[in-house]
Amino acid sequence: MNYSEHNKEMKNPFLPKEPVIFMKPDSALLKDGNPFFIPDFSRNIQYEAELVVKISRLGKNITEKFARRYYDEITIGIDFTARDLQHKLREEGYPWEICKGFDHSAAIGDFISIEKFDDVQNIDFSLKKNGETVQKDNSRNMIFGIDVIIAYISRFFTLKIGDLIFTGTPAGVGNVDPNDRLEGSVQDKKLLDFKIK
C-alpha cells in the first residue's frame, strides 16, 4: 500500500496514514534464480514487484535522520500473494499472513550497493512478464520513503543484519501461470530472472 496508483487498482478507498507492514518467514525466500512453483492452495497467485533493502546493522528505535546508516544494498523482489486467500481472510476479519508468507513467496534478485545511486528515493525499477513490461515506477513515488519505513518498523521490531525490507509495489500487479518468466530490473540493470512452474 505504498504507491498511490496501486491503492487505486486494489480499490483501497483511503491512503494509509502510516506504513502498512506484515512479515514473511525466512522459508519464504526464493533466490538464485530458482523457479517458483505455484502452490496447490490458491487459484490466483499474483506478482508484486518491489524494491528490497538489506539491513546492515543491528538497530532499534532508529530515527529517520539516521536510517540511511542501517542499509547498504538494494535489489528488486517479488512479493507473491495468494489473492483469493487474501480476499477471503480480509472479509472474515482474520490475519492474512498465510496469503503473503507461504514458502517461496519472497523472490529476491542480486543485490547491488546503494553507493551506485545518487538518491535512493529516485530509483527506477521494473518487472517484465514474458518479455513485456508489466510494472514500472520510481522510488520517489513511494508514499513513505525507505528511511521512513525503517524508522517506523524499528519502533516495533529490532532490525537485524541481513533482514530484508520490501518497500511496496506500484500499479500493474497480475497473475502468474506455469511457464511464465519474470525479469526484474533496477535502473535498467537486470537483477532477477526466473520461471514459474
Side-chain angles (χ1 to χ4, degrees):
M1 300 175 69
N2 201 25
Y3 287 83
S4 297
E5 293 303 312
H6 176 60
N7 279 280
K8 289 178 184 176
E9 77 175 345
M10 299 304 292
K11 298 181 172 53
N12 293 325
F14 305 106
L15 293 180
K17 293 188 166 106
E18 53 192 23
V20 176
I21 63 172
F22 57 89
M23 292 194 291
K24 292 178 181 260
D26 57 5
S27 56
L29 281 179
L30 179 68
K31 50 189 178 179
D32 302 324
N34 289 321
F36 173 80
F37 290 87
I38 295 176
D40 61 4
F41 52 75
S42 174
R43 296 185 179 181
N44 186 9
I45 297 291
Q46 294 193 345
Y47 59 79
E48 298 185 12
E50 311 192 14
L51 286 177
V52 181
V53 295
K54 183 188 288 186
I55 296 299
S56 58
R57 293 175 62 182
L58 185 73
K60 172 71 175 171
N61 289 320
I62 302 164
T63 62
E64 182 182 343
K65 177 181 178 182
F66 296 115
R68 168 62 188 81
R69 299 179 181 180
Y70 288 83
Y71 59 99
D72 57 5
E73 291 182 303
I74 199 165
T75 191
I76 187 167
I78 307 291
D79 167 23
F80 282 112
T81 303
R83 195 70 72 194
D84 47 357
L85 284 182
Q86 186 180 45
H87 290 319
K88 177 178 181 290
L89 293 165
R90 277 182 167 173
E91 287 172 4
E92 295 172 352
Y94 295 137
W96 38 273
E97 272 76 11
I98 61 171
C99 76
K100 289 279 196 180
F102 57 89
D103 287 355
H104 302 145
S105 61
I108 55 170
D110 297 326
F111 281 88
I112 54 177
S113 171
I114 60 170
E115 299 301 327
K116 295 184 179 294
F117 306 101
D118 295 328
D119 181 2
V120 294
Q121 288 306 149
N122 187 18
I123 297 176
D124 292 318
F125 65 103
S126 62
L127 179 72
K128 289 182 179 179
K129 175 183 169 183
N130 301 326
E132 177 184 349
T133 300
V134 289
Q135 289 188 281
K136 185 172 185 177
D137 215 315
N138 185 289
S139 59
R140 68 173 167 262
N141 294 320
M142 291 178 178
I143 298 171
F144 304 102
I146 292 170
D147 293 348
V148 173
I149 294 170
I150 288 173
Y152 181 81
I153 291 173
S154 71
R155 290 174 57 199
F156 306 98
F157 306 105
T158 298
L159 292 174
K160 296 184 176 182
I161 295 171
D163 281 349
L164 305 176
I165 299 177
F166 284 62
T167 59
T169 192
V173 303
N175 294 28
V176 291
D177 296 298
N179 300 314
D180 284 344
R181 179 182 180 186
L182 297 181
E183 300 170 89
S185 297
V186 173
Q187 300 284 72
D188 295 325
K189 180 177 178 60
K190 186 163 71 173
L191 301 176
L192 181 65
D193 187 350
F194 65 106
K195 291 278 190 73
I196 307 298
K197 299 288 188 179

